[in-house]
Amino acid sequence: MSQKLSVDRRDFLKSAAVTGAAALVPGAAIEGQQRSAGTGGSPETPAQATQATAPVAPREVDPSDGGEVITTDRPGGDFMVDVLKTLDFEFIASNPGSSFRGIHESIINYGGNAKPEFITCCHEESAVAMAHGYFKAEGKPMAVLCHGTVGMQHAAMAIYNAYCDRVPIYILAGNSLDATLRRPGVEWAHSVQDAAAMVRDFIKWDDQPISLPHFAESAMRAYKIAMTPPMMPVLLVLDGGLQEDPISPEVTSRLRIPKLTRATPPQGDSGAVAEAAQLLVNARNPVIVADRTARTPAGVQRLIELAEALQAPVVDQGGRMNFPSRHPLNQSGSARQLIADADVVLGLELTDFWGTVSTVRDGLTRTSRSIVKPGTKLISITALDLATKGNYQDFQRYPEVDVAMAADAEATLPALTEACKRLITAEKRTAFQERGKRLAEAHATALERARAEAAFAWDASPISTARLTMELWGQIKKEDWSLVAESGIMSDWTDRLWNREKHYQSLGGSGGAGVGYGAPAAVGAALANKKHGRVSVTIQGDGDFLYAPGVWWTAAHHRIPLLAVMHNNRAYHQEVMHVQRMANRHNRGITRAHIGTTIDDPNVDFAKIAQGMGVHAQGPITNPNDLAPAIARALEVVKRGEPSLIDVVTQPR
Amino acid sequence: MRVSIVVAMTIALAAVAGVGAQTTPSQPSAAAPSGNADEGKKLFLSYGCYQCHGREAQGSNATGPRLGPKPIAFTAFNRYVRRPTGQMPPYTVKVVSDADVAHIYAYVQSRSTPPAAQSIPLLREP
């Protein structure tokens, strides 16, 4: 492409100033702002302005022109940063891109690279997944900056995970709206008519503001929508001109940052709450099942209060840390039997209520059946009933419940607990206490059984997942620890054997089961934990590691302390089993099931990859007796504020 | 919901806990045909048994129950391998011979009994 024919935005502004000077006295800067906002003029007089600024731009610019305006000390991006600071973003994660160069520069210079601080990412999927993990540890969203085109495409998988996991991500995407102002070549490939279209099925709201006042309103609206349950990602598309061009006096006079008032989360209808309380108090075998229930630390306490009032068993499905693992009413390991025996099942923000009360056999013929007794009452409280979309099918099969509250479970729990307490008679209280004693005994028995099972293959090599889990636990339990991710499936050992009490001690999974979430989400959550002085720990799957390993460089670069212990079974193990299932179903044996599913020949040297990114790393470790000293060395590194990775070769599950 | 990918598999395997009820064999294991544990180990790995049950047949609550060192009676073991009722894929005679199943059975029988959890400090501590 000839440089002579290249007309960039600055050149165009300069030439437009020359052209328009005769018609519009206020000056080039104003015109530039009007045109590049994509409206052709001020909102009050669009037609006039379009006419006034319509002249064809020259294809070449005379650099000797004395009337040009070539700098500005107040670009639109600065105001955008003012707005972001009002929203109190700590960080903005991004892989740099020219479509948002304006706001990028405003963040690091005008904004002082603080609140938000620019976090350099090597992939947009990493940026979004970091924001995903950060939210679950911190309880507030992280912003993400990406190209509206190629960046959104990279980010899409992670956005889908966040959507399925009901996590708000505040996404800002660059774009170049005015086709007549685009640089030839790449800027066209990086421009799009409707940037949100690709992800609109799995975000909650989007907008493409055409002025700075419009941006300010939409920024507040986006935050409010994202943070109202059910929480989900939102997207604002930022025109390049809006970011880069000077703020005109006319626009300056209209600039203000609207007040943000967060919506209170929706509570269950009082009649439905009373009906649910009646069912729960009168039940002989009630079961409480929680998935994404505890949005905040208060959610954990509220669930404890309800469970203790009823002396009812709690099954924690792990979408969040809902219930202390060592609480005697925690009966997660006995979920199926408890549900089969239940006469009332209370589901709190369940991903899959139908699957919770049913079983499916993945055979040549797929069959399913309910596991609950006839007449069992099902009560659902979920904010998802307020916002279900149609295209992506993460909403699961239709559950035939008896009471359905379209409400946030955490917000509804206090009213439900109080309603239950009002109905509990002395006689019932005695019966509940008896039930509680039985459940406490069952809890203790389950813990002892889990410990006995963990002893099997204790000294095996590859190392058993139980051994790995307990070697890690042995050294972190004295710390203020946070299990930020668990991307390899580990037979639930951490659930069964670790003592979890605090909301940040388990952050749940990806949501959409999109592999590649674990490493970046762990780094993002560790970034949130850093200022709290928590020791962040992740159990890192090998397949997950390989999706976008550049996030380890981000962890090293930004000095994010994180202890990563790998569950390296050298396979996409879930897929090994799926192919094995198909091969046997087709009666062909499974000797070729490794093809396309294993990660060996050669084995990946994960420690070397991490070291190459500046991360302290050890391994591969195959002898279980080498684990303890390796973990101790890694913890020293983490405690001085840096990431450390241990590659451990493990049993499949 | 954590580990949602394997929920269905886990659920159905739980229903076949009899296969993994190694602590209470329903019939004397002496009824098993003679098999070679070393050969069985090779088959256990090559036929992919370890993928769900672990290389030491220790099992996983996520995929497949523990099989050794005290498996259920051979007759029931062999029957289940041929016609599983849960999520386990069927291994027909065409794929795994009776002799091979006997070798595999010998391998899972040969697994060592683990030490008591209370004797392992990491499993004893809170």
Side-chain angles (χ1 to χ4, degrees), chain A residues 291 360-362 477 491 495 506 573-574 580-581 584 587 590 651, chain B residues 1-2 6 9 11 47 51 55 60-61 84 86-87 91-92 125:
Chain A
D291 193 0
V360 177
R361 184 173 183 233
D362 181 15
K477 65 184 178 186
S491 302
D495 298 329
S506 175
H573 189 71
Q574 192 66 36
Q580 188 172 333
R581 178 181 304 273
N584 269 354
N587 212 12
I590 59 86
Q651 296 275 324
Chain B
M1 181 186 284
R2 184 178 294 127
V6 293
M9 188 175 288
I11 292 164
Y47 286 146
Q51 302 281 11
R55 289 172 184 267
S60 162
N61 74 339
Q87 298 286 13
Y91 284 75
T92 65
E125 296 163 4

PDB file of all heavy atoms in Angstrom, chain A residues 291 360-362 477 491 495 506 573-574 580-581 584 587 590 651, chain B residues 1-2 6 9 11 47 51 55 60-61 84 86-87 91-92 125:
ATOM      1  N   ASP A 291     -25.531 -24.570  44.293  1.00  0.00           N
ATOM      2  CA  ASP A 291     -24.504 -24.571  43.243  1.00  0.00           C
ATOM      3  C   ASP A 291     -23.814 -23.201  43.168  1.00  0.00           C
ATOM      4  O   ASP A 291     -22.745 -23.015  43.701  1.00  0.00           O
ATOM      5  CB  ASP A 291     -25.105 -24.964  41.898  1.00  0.00           C
ATOM      6  CG  ASP A 291     -24.030 -25.287  40.874  1.00  0.00           C
ATOM      7  OD1 ASP A 291     -22.834 -25.213  41.214  1.00  0.00           O
ATOM      8  OD2 ASP A 291     -24.368 -25.625  39.726  1.00  0.00           O
ATOM      9  N   VAL A 360     -28.950 -40.364  33.934  1.00  0.00           N
ATOM     10  CA  VAL A 360     -28.916 -40.620  32.494  1.00  0.00           C
ATOM     11  C   VAL A 360     -27.875 -41.688  32.230  1.00  0.00           C
ATOM     12  O   VAL A 360     -26.775 -41.623  32.777  1.00  0.00           O
ATOM     13  CB  VAL A 360     -28.535 -39.342  31.713  1.00  0.00           C
ATOM     14  CG1 VAL A 360     -28.419 -39.637  30.218  1.00  0.00           C
ATOM     15  CG2 VAL A 360     -29.550 -38.240  31.953  1.00  0.00           C
ATOM     16  N   ARG A 361     -28.224 -42.638  31.406  1.00  0.00           N
ATOM     17  CA  ARG A 361     -27.238 -43.647  31.009  1.00  0.00           C
ATOM     18  C   ARG A 361     -26.814 -43.375  29.578  1.00  0.00           C
ATOM     19  O   ARG A 361     -27.639 -43.351  28.663  1.00  0.00           O
ATOM     20  CB  ARG A 361     -27.815 -45.054  31.121  1.00  0.00           C
ATOM     21  CG  ARG A 361     -26.753 -46.094  30.809  1.00  0.00           C
ATOM     22  CD  ARG A 361     -27.235 -47.510  31.072  1.00  0.00           C
ATOM     23  NE  ARG A 361     -26.132 -48.432  30.820  1.00  0.00           N
ATOM     24  CZ  ARG A 361     -26.228 -49.485  30.012  1.00  0.00           C
ATOM     25  NH1 ARG A 361     -27.348 -49.786  29.425  1.00  0.00           N
ATOM     26  NH2 ARG A 361     -25.175 -50.263  29.820  1.00  0.00           N
ATOM     27  N   ASP A 362     -25.516 -43.154  29.432  1.00  0.00           N
ATOM     28  CA  ASP A 362     -24.953 -42.852  28.118  1.00  0.00           C
ATOM     29  C   ASP A 362     -24.598 -44.159  27.426  1.00  0.00           C
ATOM     30  O   ASP A 362     -23.440 -44.489  27.229  1.00  0.00           O
ATOM     31  CB  ASP A 362     -23.718 -41.948  28.298  1.00  0.00           C
ATOM     32  CG  ASP A 362     -23.085 -41.577  26.975  1.00  0.00           C
ATOM     33  OD1 ASP A 362     -23.728 -41.753  25.926  1.00  0.00           O
ATOM     34  OD2 ASP A 362     -21.926 -41.114  26.990  1.00  0.00           O
ATOM     35  N   LYS A 477      -2.287 -25.547  54.692  1.00  0.00           N
ATOM     36  CA  LYS A 477      -3.373 -25.410  55.671  1.00  0.00           C
ATOM     37  C   LYS A 477      -3.045 -24.420  56.780  1.00  0.00           C
ATOM     38  O   LYS A 477      -3.955 -23.894  57.428  1.00  0.00           O
ATOM     39  CB  LYS A 477      -3.741 -26.772  56.251  1.00  0.00           C
ATOM     40  CG  LYS A 477      -2.643 -27.425  57.065  1.00  0.00           C
ATOM     41  CD  LYS A 477      -3.076 -28.810  57.509  1.00  0.00           C
ATOM     42  CE  LYS A 477      -1.972 -29.502  58.272  1.00  0.00           C
ATOM     43  NZ  LYS A 477      -2.307 -30.899  58.587  1.00  0.00           N
ATOM     44  N   SER A 491     -10.955 -36.282  41.254  1.00  0.00           N
ATOM     45  CA  SER A 491     -11.750 -37.187  42.098  1.00  0.00           C
ATOM     46  C   SER A 491     -12.284 -36.496  43.352  1.00  0.00           C
ATOM     47  O   SER A 491     -12.498 -37.144  44.383  1.00  0.00           O
ATOM     48  CB  SER A 491     -10.924 -38.423  42.501  1.00  0.00           C
ATOM     49  OG  SER A 491     -10.468 -39.102  41.356  1.00  0.00           O
ATOM     50  N   ASP A 495     -12.481 -31.409  47.852  1.00  0.00           N
ATOM     51  CA  ASP A 495     -13.801 -31.273  48.498  1.00  0.00           C
ATOM     52  C   ASP A 495     -13.900 -32.199  49.710  1.00  0.00           C
ATOM     53  O   ASP A 495     -14.463 -31.846  50.734  1.00  0.00           O
ATOM     54  CB  ASP A 495     -14.929 -31.668  47.527  1.00  0.00           C
ATOM     55  CG  ASP A 495     -14.989 -30.781  46.308  1.00  0.00           C
ATOM     56  OD1 ASP A 495     -14.632 -29.600  46.421  1.00  0.00           O
ATOM     57  OD2 ASP A 495     -15.388 -31.276  45.242  1.00  0.00           O
ATOM     58  N   SER A 506     -12.650 -21.787  47.655  1.00  0.00           N
ATOM     59  CA  SER A 506     -12.989 -22.570  46.468  1.00  0.00           C
ATOM     60  C   SER A 506     -13.791 -21.668  45.552  1.00  0.00           C
ATOM     61  O   SER A 506     -14.808 -21.116  45.966  1.00  0.00           O
ATOM     62  CB  SER A 506     -13.805 -23.807  46.840  1.00  0.00           C
ATOM     63  OG  SER A 506     -14.214 -24.479  45.675  1.00  0.00           O
ATOM     64  N   HIS A 573      -7.979 -36.290  29.299  1.00  0.00           N
ATOM     65  CA  HIS A 573      -8.403 -37.586  29.806  1.00  0.00           C
ATOM     66  C   HIS A 573      -9.897 -37.841  29.613  1.00  0.00           C
ATOM     67  O   HIS A 573     -10.330 -38.969  29.357  1.00  0.00           O
ATOM     68  CB  HIS A 573      -8.026 -37.731  31.275  1.00  0.00           C
ATOM     69  CG  HIS A 573      -8.251 -39.108  31.759  1.00  0.00           C
ATOM     70  ND1 HIS A 573      -7.457 -40.162  31.365  1.00  0.00           N
ATOM     71  CD2 HIS A 573      -9.227 -39.633  32.517  1.00  0.00           C
ATOM     72  CE1 HIS A 573      -7.924 -41.256  31.893  1.00  0.00           C
ATOM     73  NE2 HIS A 573      -8.986 -40.981  32.601  1.00  0.00           N
ATOM     74  N   GLN A 574     -10.688 -36.780  29.758  1.00  0.00           N
ATOM     75  CA  GLN A 574     -12.125 -36.941  29.551  1.00  0.00           C
ATOM     76  C   GLN A 574     -12.399 -37.495  28.157  1.00  0.00           C
ATOM     77  O   GLN A 574     -13.267 -38.353  27.964  1.00  0.00           O
ATOM     78  CB  GLN A 574     -12.814 -35.586  29.723  1.00  0.00           C
ATOM     79  CG  GLN A 574     -14.318 -35.643  29.810  1.00  0.00           C
ATOM     80  CD  GLN A 574     -14.782 -36.357  31.058  1.00  0.00           C
ATOM     81  OE1 GLN A 574     -14.168 -36.235  32.115  1.00  0.00           O
ATOM     82  NE2 GLN A 574     -15.845 -37.108  30.931  1.00  0.00           N
ATOM     83  N   GLN A 580     -12.938 -44.140  24.161  1.00  0.00           N
ATOM     84  CA  GLN A 580     -12.952 -45.526  24.638  1.00  0.00           C
ATOM     85  C   GLN A 580     -14.398 -46.057  24.663  1.00  0.00           C
ATOM     86  O   GLN A 580     -14.674 -47.187  24.248  1.00  0.00           O
ATOM     87  CB  GLN A 580     -12.366 -45.531  26.046  1.00  0.00           C
ATOM     88  CG  GLN A 580     -12.115 -46.882  26.642  1.00  0.00           C
ATOM     89  CD  GLN A 580     -11.351 -46.747  27.958  1.00  0.00           C
ATOM     90  OE1 GLN A 580     -10.627 -45.787  28.152  1.00  0.00           O
ATOM     91  NE2 GLN A 580     -11.505 -47.694  28.837  1.00  0.00           N
ATOM     92  N   ARG A 581     -15.284 -45.212  25.121  1.00  0.00           N
ATOM     93  CA  ARG A 581     -16.699 -45.602  25.187  1.00  0.00           C
ATOM     94  C   ARG A 581     -17.241 -45.914  23.783  1.00  0.00           C
ATOM     95  O   ARG A 581     -17.930 -46.907  23.565  1.00  0.00           O
ATOM     96  CB  ARG A 581     -17.493 -44.462  25.817  1.00  0.00           C
ATOM     97  CG  ARG A 581     -18.996 -44.699  25.910  1.00  0.00           C
ATOM     98  CD  ARG A 581     -19.656 -43.486  26.522  1.00  0.00           C
ATOM     99  NE  ARG A 581     -19.049 -43.189  27.814  1.00  0.00           N
ATOM    100  CZ  ARG A 581     -19.429 -43.736  28.962  1.00  0.00           C
ATOM    101  NH1 ARG A 581     -20.426 -44.591  28.970  1.00  0.00           N
ATOM    102  NH2 ARG A 581     -18.836 -43.430  30.079  1.00  0.00           N
ATOM    103  N   ASN A 584     -15.672 -49.217  22.306  1.00  0.00           N
ATOM    104  CA  ASN A 584     -16.231 -50.436  22.878  1.00  0.00           C
ATOM    105  C   ASN A 584     -17.691 -50.618  22.474  1.00  0.00           C
ATOM    106  O   ASN A 584     -18.153 -51.732  22.230  1.00  0.00           O
ATOM    107  CB  ASN A 584     -16.121 -50.404  24.397  1.00  0.00           C
ATOM    108  CG  ASN A 584     -14.814 -51.025  24.865  1.00  0.00           C
ATOM    109  OD1 ASN A 584     -14.070 -51.567  24.064  1.00  0.00           O
ATOM    110  ND2 ASN A 584     -14.535 -50.920  26.142  1.00  0.00           N
ATOM    111  N   ASN A 587     -17.739 -52.169  19.416  1.00  0.00           N
ATOM    112  CA  ASN A 587     -17.148 -53.502  19.494  1.00  0.00           C
ATOM    113  C   ASN A 587     -15.819 -53.604  18.760  1.00  0.00           C
ATOM    114  O   ASN A 587     -15.540 -54.584  18.073  1.00  0.00           O
ATOM    115  CB  ASN A 587     -18.136 -54.534  18.922  1.00  0.00           C
ATOM    116  CG  ASN A 587     -18.001 -55.868  19.630  1.00  0.00           C
ATOM    117  OD1 ASN A 587     -17.354 -55.961  20.671  1.00  0.00           O
ATOM    118  ND2 ASN A 587     -18.589 -56.900  19.064  1.00  0.00           N
ATOM    119  N   ILE A 590     -10.314 -50.823  22.446  1.00  0.00           N
ATOM    120  CA  ILE A 590      -9.959 -49.429  22.719  1.00  0.00           C
ATOM    121  C   ILE A 590      -8.469 -49.149  22.509  1.00  0.00           C
ATOM    122  O   ILE A 590      -7.957 -48.128  22.944  1.00  0.00           O
ATOM    123  CB  ILE A 590     -10.364 -49.036  24.157  1.00  0.00           C
ATOM    124  CG1 ILE A 590      -9.694 -49.923  25.203  1.00  0.00           C
ATOM    125  CG2 ILE A 590     -11.850 -49.104  24.346  1.00  0.00           C
ATOM    126  CD1 ILE A 590      -8.338 -49.498  25.622  1.00  0.00           C
ATOM    127  N   GLN A 651      -1.709 -39.911  38.216  1.00  0.00           N
ATOM    128  CA  GLN A 651      -2.702 -40.903  37.781  1.00  0.00           C
ATOM    129  C   GLN A 651      -3.801 -40.164  36.994  1.00  0.00           C
ATOM    130  O   GLN A 651      -3.957 -38.948  37.134  1.00  0.00           O
ATOM    131  CB  GLN A 651      -3.314 -41.578  38.997  1.00  0.00           C
ATOM    132  CG  GLN A 651      -2.329 -42.388  39.834  1.00  0.00           C
ATOM    133  CD  GLN A 651      -2.137 -43.797  39.321  1.00  0.00           C
ATOM    134  OE1 GLN A 651      -3.074 -44.415  38.833  1.00  0.00           O
ATOM    135  NE2 GLN A 651      -0.919 -44.305  39.420  1.00  0.00           N
TER     136      GLN A 651
ATOM    137  N   MET B   1     -21.873 -26.039  38.551  1.00  0.00           N
ATOM    138  CA  MET B   1     -21.754 -27.410  39.022  1.00  0.00           C
ATOM    139  C   MET B   1     -20.386 -27.923  38.624  1.00  0.00           C
ATOM    140  O   MET B   1     -20.048 -27.948  37.452  1.00  0.00           O
ATOM    141  CB  MET B   1     -22.846 -28.276  38.400  1.00  0.00           C
ATOM    142  CG  MET B   1     -22.810 -29.723  38.853  1.00  0.00           C
ATOM    143  SD  MET B   1     -23.997 -30.727  37.964  1.00  0.00           S
ATOM    144  CE  MET B   1     -25.503 -30.243  38.748  1.00  0.00           C
ATOM    145  N   ARG B   2     -19.575 -28.269  39.605  1.00  0.00           N
ATOM    146  CA  ARG B   2     -18.224 -28.718  39.317  1.00  0.00           C
ATOM    147  C   ARG B   2     -18.249 -30.054  38.583  1.00  0.00           C
ATOM    148  O   ARG B   2     -19.159 -30.843  38.713  1.00  0.00           O
ATOM    149  CB  ARG B   2     -17.445 -28.844  40.617  1.00  0.00           C
ATOM    150  CG  ARG B   2     -15.990 -29.216  40.409  1.00  0.00           C
ATOM    151  CD  ARG B   2     -15.256 -29.292  41.713  1.00  0.00           C
ATOM    152  NE  ARG B   2     -15.180 -27.998  42.324  1.00  0.00           N
ATOM    153  CZ  ARG B   2     -15.568 -27.756  43.579  1.00  0.00           C
ATOM    154  NH1 ARG B   2     -16.065 -28.698  44.309  1.00  0.00           N
ATOM    155  NH2 ARG B   2     -15.463 -26.559  44.082  1.00  0.00           N
ATOM    156  N   VAL B   6     -18.382 -34.966  33.809  1.00  0.00           N
ATOM    157  CA  VAL B   6     -18.375 -36.382  34.175  1.00  0.00           C
ATOM    158  C   VAL B   6     -19.511 -36.770  35.109  1.00  0.00           C
ATOM    159  O   VAL B   6     -19.564 -37.888  35.582  1.00  0.00           O
ATOM    160  CB  VAL B   6     -17.037 -36.766  34.847  1.00  0.00           C
ATOM    161  CG1 VAL B   6     -15.906 -36.683  33.877  1.00  0.00           C
ATOM    162  CG2 VAL B   6     -16.786 -35.933  36.077  1.00  0.00           C
ATOM    163  N   MET B   9     -21.428 -39.837  34.050  1.00  0.00           N
ATOM    164  CA  MET B   9     -20.618 -41.044  34.181  1.00  0.00           C
ATOM    165  C   MET B   9     -20.498 -41.449  35.648  1.00  0.00           C
ATOM    166  O   MET B   9     -20.644 -42.601  36.008  1.00  0.00           O
ATOM    167  CB  MET B   9     -19.241 -40.761  33.597  1.00  0.00           C
ATOM    168  CG  MET B   9     -18.362 -41.964  33.487  1.00  0.00           C
ATOM    169  SD  MET B   9     -16.830 -41.528  32.670  1.00  0.00           S
ATOM    170  CE  MET B   9     -17.401 -41.298  31.015  1.00  0.00           C
ATOM    171  N   ILE B  11     -22.477 -40.758  38.094  1.00  0.00           N
ATOM    172  CA  ILE B  11     -23.739 -41.216  38.639  1.00  0.00           C
ATOM    173  C   ILE B  11     -23.968 -42.681  38.319  1.00  0.00           C
ATOM    174  O   ILE B  11     -24.262 -43.491  39.179  1.00  0.00           O
ATOM    175  CB  ILE B  11     -24.890 -40.372  38.046  1.00  0.00           C
ATOM    176  CG1 ILE B  11     -24.781 -38.945  38.581  1.00  0.00           C
ATOM    177  CG2 ILE B  11     -26.241 -40.981  38.364  1.00  0.00           C
ATOM    178  CD1 ILE B  11     -25.609 -37.962  37.792  1.00  0.00           C
ATOM    179  N   TYR B  47      -5.714 -52.171  27.603  1.00  0.00           N
ATOM    180  CA  TYR B  47      -7.153 -52.125  27.361  1.00  0.00           C
ATOM    181  C   TYR B  47      -7.801 -50.873  27.967  1.00  0.00           C
ATOM    182  O   TYR B  47      -9.005 -50.676  27.855  1.00  0.00           O
ATOM    183  CB  TYR B  47      -7.838 -53.372  27.924  1.00  0.00           C
ATOM    184  CG  TYR B  47      -7.591 -54.635  27.109  1.00  0.00           C
ATOM    185  CD1 TYR B  47      -7.483 -55.870  27.726  1.00  0.00           C
ATOM    186  CD2 TYR B  47      -7.481 -54.585  25.724  1.00  0.00           C
ATOM    187  CE1 TYR B  47      -7.273 -57.027  26.998  1.00  0.00           C
ATOM    188  CE2 TYR B  47      -7.262 -55.731  24.980  1.00  0.00           C
ATOM    189  CZ  TYR B  47      -7.155 -56.949  25.617  1.00  0.00           C
ATOM    190  OH  TYR B  47      -6.939 -58.087  24.886  1.00  0.00           O
ATOM    191  N   GLN B  51      -7.755 -46.091  32.793  1.00  0.00           N
ATOM    192  CA  GLN B  51      -8.228 -44.735  32.501  1.00  0.00           C
ATOM    193  C   GLN B  51      -9.328 -44.310  33.472  1.00  0.00           C
ATOM    194  O   GLN B  51      -9.422 -43.137  33.847  1.00  0.00           O
ATOM    195  CB  GLN B  51      -8.757 -44.654  31.066  1.00  0.00           C
ATOM    196  CG  GLN B  51      -7.748 -45.047  30.004  1.00  0.00           C
ATOM    197  CD  GLN B  51      -6.755 -43.944  29.687  1.00  0.00           C
ATOM    198  OE1 GLN B  51      -6.682 -42.944  30.383  1.00  0.00           O
ATOM    199  NE2 GLN B  51      -5.976 -44.138  28.642  1.00  0.00           N
ATOM    200  N   ARG B  55      -4.253 -46.675  37.687  1.00  0.00           N
ATOM    201  CA  ARG B  55      -3.235 -47.659  37.319  1.00  0.00           C
ATOM    202  C   ARG B  55      -3.074 -48.741  38.382  1.00  0.00           C
ATOM    203  O   ARG B  55      -2.621 -49.842  38.099  1.00  0.00           O
ATOM    204  CB  ARG B  55      -1.894 -46.963  37.087  1.00  0.00           C
ATOM    205  CG  ARG B  55      -1.875 -46.140  35.819  1.00  0.00           C
ATOM    206  CD  ARG B  55      -0.631 -45.304  35.693  1.00  0.00           C
ATOM    207  NE  ARG B  55      -0.689 -44.452  34.516  1.00  0.00           N
ATOM    208  CZ  ARG B  55      -0.188 -44.789  33.325  1.00  0.00           C
ATOM    209  NH1 ARG B  55       0.411 -45.949  33.171  1.00  0.00           N
ATOM    210  NH2 ARG B  55      -0.288 -43.967  32.311  1.00  0.00           N
ATOM    211  N   SER B  60     -11.776 -44.170  41.296  1.00  0.00           N
ATOM    212  CA  SER B  60     -11.992 -42.725  41.398  1.00  0.00           C
ATOM    213  C   SER B  60     -13.480 -42.501  41.545  1.00  0.00           C
ATOM    214  O   SER B  60     -14.275 -43.128  40.845  1.00  0.00           O
ATOM    215  CB  SER B  60     -11.495 -42.015  40.139  1.00  0.00           C
ATOM    216  OG  SER B  60     -12.059 -40.720  40.054  1.00  0.00           O
ATOM    217  N   ASN B  61     -13.845 -41.601  42.424  1.00  0.00           N
ATOM    218  CA  ASN B  61     -15.281 -41.340  42.571  1.00  0.00           C
ATOM    219  C   ASN B  61     -15.829 -40.602  41.354  1.00  0.00           C
ATOM    220  O   ASN B  61     -17.036 -40.473  41.193  1.00  0.00           O
ATOM    221  CB  ASN B  61     -15.568 -40.556  43.859  1.00  0.00           C
ATOM    222  CG  ASN B  61     -15.169 -39.106  43.754  1.00  0.00           C
ATOM    223  OD1 ASN B  61     -14.355 -38.745  42.918  1.00  0.00           O
ATOM    224  ND2 ASN B  61     -15.747 -38.273  44.596  1.00  0.00           N
ATOM    225  N   PRO B  84     -21.989 -54.432  31.171  1.00  0.00           N
ATOM    226  CA  PRO B  84     -22.107 -53.466  32.276  1.00  0.00           C
ATOM    227  C   PRO B  84     -23.490 -52.819  32.293  1.00  0.00           C
ATOM    228  O   PRO B  84     -24.100 -52.623  31.235  1.00  0.00           O
ATOM    229  CB  PRO B  84     -21.014 -52.452  31.961  1.00  0.00           C
ATOM    230  CG  PRO B  84     -20.778 -52.573  30.500  1.00  0.00           C
ATOM    231  CD  PRO B  84     -21.052 -53.999  30.143  1.00  0.00           C
ATOM    232  N   GLY B  86     -24.004 -49.909  34.101  1.00  0.00           N
ATOM    233  CA  GLY B  86     -23.836 -48.474  34.334  1.00  0.00           C
ATOM    234  C   GLY B  86     -23.230 -47.794  33.121  1.00  0.00           C
ATOM    235  O   GLY B  86     -23.573 -48.112  31.984  1.00  0.00           O
ATOM    236  N   GLN B  87     -22.307 -46.880  33.354  1.00  0.00           N
ATOM    237  CA  GLN B  87     -21.706 -46.116  32.262  1.00  0.00           C
ATOM    238  C   GLN B  87     -20.501 -46.808  31.644  1.00  0.00           C
ATOM    239  O   GLN B  87     -20.012 -46.376  30.605  1.00  0.00           O
ATOM    240  CB  GLN B  87     -21.265 -44.738  32.790  1.00  0.00           C
ATOM    241  CG  GLN B  87     -22.409 -43.885  33.313  1.00  0.00           C
ATOM    242  CD  GLN B  87     -23.272 -43.301  32.201  1.00  0.00           C
ATOM    243  OE1 GLN B  87     -23.173 -43.721  31.057  1.00  0.00           O
ATOM    244  NE2 GLN B  87     -24.120 -42.361  32.547  1.00  0.00           N
ATOM    245  N   TYR B  91     -17.053 -54.578  27.227  1.00  0.00           N
ATOM    246  CA  TYR B  91     -15.889 -55.248  26.641  1.00  0.00           C
ATOM    247  C   TYR B  91     -16.331 -56.655  26.270  1.00  0.00           C
ATOM    248  O   TYR B  91     -16.440 -57.528  27.123  1.00  0.00           O
ATOM    249  CB  TYR B  91     -14.739 -55.315  27.646  1.00  0.00           C
ATOM    250  CG  TYR B  91     -13.992 -54.022  27.863  1.00  0.00           C
ATOM    251  CD1 TYR B  91     -14.545 -52.983  28.612  1.00  0.00           C
ATOM    252  CD2 TYR B  91     -12.712 -53.834  27.326  1.00  0.00           C
ATOM    253  CE1 TYR B  91     -13.856 -51.804  28.809  1.00  0.00           C
ATOM    254  CE2 TYR B  91     -12.015 -52.651  27.518  1.00  0.00           C
ATOM    255  CZ  TYR B  91     -12.596 -51.634  28.266  1.00  0.00           C
ATOM    256  OH  TYR B  91     -11.914 -50.462  28.470  1.00  0.00           O
ATOM    257  N   THR B  92     -16.613 -56.861  25.007  1.00  0.00           N
ATOM    258  CA  THR B  92     -17.114 -58.170  24.569  1.00  0.00           C
ATOM    259  C   THR B  92     -15.955 -59.158  24.408  1.00  0.00           C
ATOM    260  O   THR B  92     -14.780 -58.772  24.418  1.00  0.00           O
ATOM    261  CB  THR B  92     -17.845 -58.049  23.222  1.00  0.00           C
ATOM    262  OG1 THR B  92     -16.886 -57.656  22.240  1.00  0.00           O
ATOM    263  CG2 THR B  92     -18.958 -57.013  23.289  1.00  0.00           C
ATOM    264  N   GLU B 125      -3.874 -36.010  60.121  1.00  0.00           N
ATOM    265  CA  GLU B 125      -4.006 -34.640  60.624  1.00  0.00           C
ATOM    266  C   GLU B 125      -5.285 -34.000  60.131  1.00  0.00           C
ATOM    267  O   GLU B 125      -5.809 -34.380  59.089  1.00  0.00           O
ATOM    268  CB  GLU B 125      -2.792 -33.822  60.173  1.00  0.00           C
ATOM    269  CG  GLU B 125      -1.495 -34.333  60.773  1.00  0.00           C
ATOM    270  CD  GLU B 125      -0.261 -33.819  60.031  1.00  0.00           C
ATOM    271  OE1 GLU B 125      -0.418 -33.018  59.099  1.00  0.00           O
ATOM    272  OE2 GLU B 125       0.836 -34.245  60.399  1.00  0.00           O
TER     273      GLU B 125
END
